[in-house]
Amino acid sequence: MSFGRVVSRYVAVALLTLPLPSCSGSSSDALVLTAEMPLHLEEHLDDASIEGSEVRESIIRPIEWDFAEPQPGWTSGPTESWPTLDTRVAQVDGALHVELTEENRREGDESIRGYIYVDLPELRQQDWSHLLVRARSDSLMESMRIFFNLGERSAPGGWPSPFQNMGGTTPVVSDGVVHGYRIPDEPGWADWEDPWRQLILAFSAGEAASIDILSITLVPKATVYGDVPVGVREVKLDNGYRRALYTHAPGRLGYRLRVPEAGRLDFGLGVLGSDTPVTFRVEAVTEADESLVLFGEAYGDKENWGQRSVDLSELAGQRVTLSLVTDSKTPGDIAFWGGPTVSGARTAGRPNVIFYVIDGAGADWMSVYGYNRRTTPFLERLAGEAVVFENAYSNATSTPLSAPSYMTSLLYSAIDRYRSYFDRIPDGVTTMAEHFGGVGYQTGVLTSNPFAATMSGLERGVDLVRVLDPPVPAVSSEHLHRAFWDWREAYPGIPFWAHFQTTDVHEPFRPMAPFSGL
């Protein structure tokens, strides 16, 4: 076999995939779900019976500042570590006008930076989801970012920060038109704790610029889940993202299904901000009208998923009504069933698929592509049993642009609205994970580069996403492989699709600079 040259920032190894027909039971089983492939219950919400799950009326409401009228609570001012941050603000034509000038440029800094803030009534950050900002700019304002609480501190990397923690960021479209921006308020530094006393919105530009803020809305998590009694969302707790069913306790979801041979139900337990545990139960009613309680647990960990499994093998071959039940002392508490999946002995002859990306690898330095030192002996061994692409090209030189491209089979320039590192793929674009998940595959993304997952919207439709931050990039694969086997132990149903993206050979990640991304 001859080896040519691959011009790419990445090297990817993948199994050849075959056409994937849809999976369904026979016409006589039209009202009974089957599990020849792993059965993702969250994908069959329309087939479930729903009892209870009423939305609590007394949920936390959004906090809104409408600058059609002056909002005197919003201001700016110098800080001890960054006196040039004092920013010009004024009420102009029904908006808060924020202006960055050369006076805001700190010596040696390439960007001009400023901020505005407002005092809050000591909120719990974990109760809140994101910030909605309506704004317009016709100058080169580059980006804006959330920060939490005024207060000098030494931030990760050792540099002084005038704020206690950092949240999400978004680029600014400077075309003079009003745009809506959604900025996640998840803290970026792990050692910060509540209460949340000040909401800070910081701005960055390469040269003097301005922006008019029309409104700012702080959106609570309860509102996100308060639109319907039962729904499906990608939910993040500290140990990963799950595609999850959410209900409002007390509630019951019932599914009619035929239990497969060696059947099992795997799921994660999660709660949202409840001060009391939520009771989770799995119940079944057999054809003989026998009622069984298969699982029961009171769960109250707000930070992490609790992985659980129920053995259904004694019900193999039977048609049952399988119910996911929640209860709480506080009616309306939001409960998550993370990736509830029924699986059994393999009956479908479809291959498992692993899409493995070595982030930062270059063909010029790989012996499998002819480099004179034996740097990739294991890839050479794999190449002897596989297809090697000798002329493959990356669509871009950076992960924020290339990862969405190879995960959607579209040039990044063709992905509508995809203009910068901080944009997410739009809803109309289908990802590789969604294609496989749509035909019953278990799907997982395991990466140490967030631009290959949550920073680009590539967590959408994935059963489990783990974005790990290893102590040094050179050992990322070890941690990702361990996370993979943890996932397979928790969800052993097959077939599966997994996307790895390691950073073992990636150039060293630089410490986060002040206001990185602004």
Side-chain angles (χ1 to χ4, degrees), residues 295-409:
F295 171 85
E297 181 180 341
Y299 189 81
D301 187 344
K302 308 168 191 175
E303 306 298 329
N304 297 288
W305 291 105
Q307 185 61 38
R308 304 293 183 263
S309 181
V310 173
D311 185 356
L312 303 177
S313 58
E314 292 188 1
L315 299 173
Q318 297 188 44
R319 299 184 184 187
V320 304
T321 298
L322 189 70
S323 296
L324 308 180
V325 184
T326 57
D327 200 356
S328 175
K329 293 181 180 178
T330 308
D333 278 350
I334 297 168
F336 301 123
W337 295 91
T341 305
V342 176
S343 61
R346 180 167 186 161
T347 58
R350 299 180 183 178
N352 297 324
V353 178
I354 295 177
F355 187 78
Y356 200 107
V357 178
I358 306 173
D359 197 327
D364 289 348
W365 307 103
M366 301 174 69
S367 54
V368 71
Y369 284 106
Y371 182 56
N372 59 10
R373 294 178 60 188
R374 200 170 182 214
T375 52
T376 53
F378 293 105
L379 287 182
E380 289 179 51
R381 190 169 69 185
L382 179 63
E385 306 172 356
V387 175
V388 177
F389 294 90
E390 299 185 352
N391 292 283
Y393 296 86
S394 175
N395 286 329
T397 59
S398 64
T399 310
L401 300 179
S402 58
S405 181
Y406 58 67
M407 279 301 170
T408 61
S409 296

Side-chain angles (χ1 to χ4, degrees), residues 429-461:
V429 175
T430 305
T431 67
M432 190 188 303
E434 289 177 307
H435 279 298
F436 278 94
V439 292
Y441 271 66
Q442 308 239 52
T443 57
V445 172
L446 307 111
T447 181
S448 46
N449 187 336
F451 282 113
T454 55
M455 286 290 287
S456 301
L458 293 170
E459 79 280 7
R460 193 176 69 204

Side-chain angles (χ1 to χ4, degrees), residues 79 115 117-120 122-123 125 146-153 161-167 189 192-201:
T79 71
Y115 78 107
Y117 78 94
V118 68
D119 289 324
L120 298 174
E122 296 205 351
L123 306 179
Q125 188 280 329
I146 294 174
F147 284 86
F148 302 88
N149 288 6
L150 299 172
E152 307 294 328
R153 64 161 287 173
S161 168
F163 311 128
Q164 290 296 302
N165 209 317
M166 177 176 67
W189 303 332
W192 179 74
E193 297 181 356
D194 286 327
W196 186 6
R197 297 187 180 93
Q198 285 95 27
L199 167 61
I200 300 149
L201 193 58

Side-chain angles (χ1 to χ4, degrees), residues 11 55 85 96 204 234 277 282 304 343 367 374 405 455 467 469:
V11 171
V55 178
L85 280 179
L96 185 67
S204 177
E234 287 80 20
V282 178
N304 297 288
S343 61
S367 54
R374 200 170 182 214
S405 181
M455 286 290 287
V467 180
D469 185 16

